[in-house]
Amino acid sequence: MCSINALTTGAVASGLCLVLLSPWVLARLTRAQAYRERGAKLHRWMESLRDAPDPWRLAPMLLEQFGPRGQAQAAMAWQERPGREAASDLHALCFAGGPDEERRMGLWKCRLDGRAMGPGTGHQEDAGAWYWPLRGREACFGAITLPLTRMRGDERDAHLAHVQRMADQLGLAMERHEAWLARTEAAQQ
């Protein structure tokens, strides 16, 4: 009789654990699927960027990597021909994502300084959004901004590093394109 009660109690306890853990497991599986889809989308974007004759046209596609429409939008600023003479001119920038005036100024400052701004970046910690420069090896070609999220600790640090890597890839592509244009113009003279 004791062994039957023990078996029944064990079965009930196992069933209860399964019922309690099922939503957690399903949530993890759903999150994993979303990460896989996002990774595949990012891979396609990176392939397009590598082969792009005009990387500026792919800049708005980068914004789509950071969330569906309807959420707070990512925004970006860049110069199609970022010559040194226009480096400090706010009006020389192209904008995507519809940033408001405050975010336009943040994008401009981030592009000028060439470094990330916002909580956890070590620069402009009180900014109302995160900003990352589109860096090449020798110049900064623009900036991207994302609204603040509730991420903390390691998750936030990983997110900040991920966005900066993507921004750097676009910045490097822009720098390669500018170098190609300069070589082409020099060859024609």
Side-chain angles (χ1 to χ4, degrees), residues 68-130:
R69 303 226 183 260
Q71 292 182 355
Q73 291 283 79
M76 185 180 295
W78 71 96
Q79 288 180 258
E80 288 197 25
R81 288 300 307 267
R84 308 290 182 243
E85 67 281 352
S88 62
D89 185 4
L90 175 64
H91 301 291
L93 296 177
C94 299
F95 292 95
D100 60 22
E101 192 61 30
E102 179 182 341
R103 290 176 77 196
R104 282 177 182 255
M105 292 303 293
L107 287 164
W108 177 70
K109 181 165 179 33
C110 181
R111 187 237 181 273
L112 278 180
D113 292 349
R115 62 182 178 178
M117 300 183 337
T121 65
H123 185 62
Q124 300 285 326
E125 292 279 335
D126 60 341
W130 282 313

Side-chain angles (χ1 to χ4, degrees), residues 4-5 12 23 25 38 43 76-77 88 92 101-102 135 141 149-150 152 159 178 180:
I4 293 176
N5 283 339
V12 169
V25 170
R38 197 164 111 198
H43 181 74
M76 185 180 295
S88 62
E101 192 61 30
E102 179 182 341
R135 302 180 295 205
F141 295 87
T149 64
R150 292 191 170 117
R152 300 280 185 256
H159 179 71
E178 183 180 284
W180 177 81

Side-chain angles (χ1 to χ4, degrees), residues 37-60:
E37 289 171 6
R38 197 164 111 198
K41 189 175 178 183
L42 176 59
H43 181 74
R44 287 190 301 273
W45 180 79
M46 295 291 284
E47 291 291 320
S48 298
L49 183 61
R50 186 189 68 212
D51 299 332
D54 192 358
W56 291 273
R57 302 294 174 240
L58 293 176

Side-chain angles (χ1 to χ4, degrees), residues 20-31:
L20 293 175
L21 289 177
S22 290
W24 180 80
V25 170
L26 289 175
R28 291 286 186 160
L29 289 173
T30 302
R31 188 180 306 161

Side-chain angles (χ1 to χ4, degrees), residues 126-146:
D126 60 341
W130 282 313
Y131 298 88
W132 293 271
L134 304 176
R135 302 180 295 205
R137 295 195 189 286
E138 297 182 19
C140 182
F141 295 87
I144 186 170
T145 180
L146 293 176

